[in-house]
Amino acid sequence: MKYLFVDESGDHNLLPEKIDPSFPLFVLTGIMLEKREHQKIKAEINKLKKKIFGTQKVILHSLELTRTNKAKQKEFRILSDKNVRNKFYTKLNKILNRCNFSIIAFVINKPWYAKQFPISPPDPYFLSFSSILDSFEKQLERKEIGEIYAEHRNKILDKQFLLAWESSIARIGLVTKEQLKSHKLTKPNIVKKSYDLTGLEIADLVSYRLSRHVMGKKPKPRGNEINIKVIASKKMNVSGLPNVPNMH
C-alpha cells in the first residue's frame, strides 16, 4: 500500500490585487511513500520532537517554524535560539535524507497564469491536483492499493478539494474510474493535521522549501532550513506553468 499526502504553499486566488508579490506561486505537493515507511519516519520525527520540544504532540508547520515569535504552538519558540534551531534542522535533514519517499509537485506562477486566461481561468488547484493524481496512479503497481490524505482547512476549501478530485476524474480525465477502482482509490481522506500524520507534516515542509527554491530565494545558512539537496535527492516529479527550475 502507498500513501499520498497532499499539501500546498500559497493560495489559488488569481485576482491581481490579491496576489502577494512576495509569494506569487501556488505549489501543490504530494509526498508518496509506503505504509511501513510512514511508520518508520513517524517514529523518527516524533523522537526528534520529543528531544527538541519536550513533546511529540506538536505539529510541524512551516510558517510557525520560520516565524517562531508568532508561533501558536509555544514549544516552537525555543527555535529562536540559533543553537537549538541548528540541532533541529541538522537532525531533520538527516531523517529526511535517509527515509524513502517520492515527491510529486505542481507549481503555478499565478501572475503569468492569470494573463494566459484573462476570462475564466482553470482553477490552479484543479489543474495541479489532476497532475499529481495522474502521477500517483502511474507509480502504483498493478492492483496496488493507494490512499490519499489532504489537510482539513474549512468547509469551503474542503469542498473545493473534493471538487478538484471529481474534476480530475470526470472532466479532465487523466485518470479513469477503472484505474481508480483497480487501486481501490476512493475519495481522499480530509483530515486535521496531527502528530500521527507525519506525511502531511512532510508535505507542508517540502512544499514550502520547494516554493522558496522555485522563487530563486537564496538558501539560508546551514542549520536554518531543509537542505534543498535533500529534496533533490528523492525521486521527483516536479512540473508547472510556465516552467520549473532544474532541481539537480
Side-chain angles (χ1 to χ4, degrees):
M1 173 186 282
K2 284 190 176 73
Y3 291 145
L4 178 69
F5 294 95
V6 181
D7 202 1
E8 78 270 13
S9 287
D11 60 63
H12 49 122
N13 197 316
L14 296 174
L15 295 176
E17 66 273 16
K18 292 193 175 182
I19 294 177
D20 182 354
S22 68
F23 202 107
L25 303 181
F26 175 75
V27 182
L28 193 63
T29 302
I31 298 296
M32 187 179 81
L33 72 173
E34 298 278 356
K35 182 178 180 179
R36 285 180 296 178
E37 190 69 16
H38 185 253
Q39 294 299 319
K40 174 185 171 183
I41 195 170
K42 179 171 74 171
E44 292 203 49
I45 292 290
N46 282 344
K47 184 178 178 180
L48 173 61
K49 290 178 184 177
K50 183 73 174 178
K51 182 177 181 180
I52 300 294
F53 306 116
T55 177
Q56 67 181 37
K57 295 184 178 181
V58 291
I59 302 169
L60 300 182
H61 186 253
S62 294
L63 290 182
E64 291 190 83
L65 292 175
T66 54
R67 302 172 186 173
T68 55
N69 60 324
K70 297 181 179 180
K72 294 180 180 179
Q73 298 173 89
K74 63 182 184 300
E75 292 87 353
F76 290 156
R77 293 171 191 169
I78 195 172
L79 294 179
S80 60
D81 182 318
K82 66 178 182 180
N83 293 320
V84 176
R85 187 169 63 252
N86 188 282
K87 288 179 182 178
F88 170 73
Y89 276 109
T90 298
K91 183 62 176 177
L92 178 61
N93 277 311
K94 288 181 179 179
I95 293 172
L96 295 178
N97 190 51
R98 65 173 172 258
C99 286
N100 185 22
F101 62 87
S102 300
I103 300 169
I104 310 169
F106 199 86
V107 181
I108 293 179
N109 180 306
K110 294 193 294 182
W112 177 91
Y113 186 72
K115 289 179 181 177
Q116 311 311 307
F117 304 95
I119 300 175
S120 301
D123 186 279
Y125 208 123
F126 283 25
L127 183 63
S128 302
F129 181 73
S130 180
S131 176
I132 288 175
L133 176 61
D134 178 52
S135 182
F136 178 52
E137 191 279 329
K138 282 182 170 61
Q139 293 184 57
L140 292 171
E141 300 293 337
R142 185 173 180 269
K143 293 188 176 181
E144 181 179 20
I145 297 173
E147 288 188 3
I148 301 172
Y149 290 84
E151 179 190 4
H152 161 71
R153 294 163 296 170
N154 60 50
K155 288 183 178 180
I156 294 175
L157 292 177
D158 288 351
K159 184 177 180 180
Q160 289 178 341
F161 179 80
L162 293 177
L163 284 172
W165 162 262
E166 295 293 340
S167 175
S168 297
I169 303 165
R171 285 163 48 194
I172 300 176
L174 292 178
V175 180
T176 67
K177 291 183 179 180
E178 289 72 23
Q179 288 171 310
L180 295 176
K181 186 176 180 180
S182 72
H183 300 301
K184 297 184 179 179
L185 266 170
T186 56
K187 187 168 66 175
N189 303 286
I190 298 180
V191 295
K192 289 184 178 181
K193 274 187 179 173
S194 86
Y195 62 91
D196 277 331
L197 287 171
T198 305
L200 277 181
E201 294 178 289
I202 296 172
D204 175 295
L205 299 178
V206 170
S207 194
Y208 179 75
R209 185 64 187 90
L210 274 174
S211 301
R212 283 182 52 81
H213 178 74
V214 173
M215 286 189 290
K217 299 285 188 180
K218 184 179 179 180
K220 296 178 182 179
R222 184 184 295 272
N224 285 273
E225 66 179 356
I226 294 174
N227 190 333
I228 196 66
K229 291 182 180 179
V230 171
I231 294 176
S233 70
K234 303 302 176 184
K235 182 179 179 181
M236 299 186 69
N237 184 341
V238 181
S239 52
L241 295 170
N243 51 53
V244 178
N246 193 320
M247 296 297 299
H248 299 282

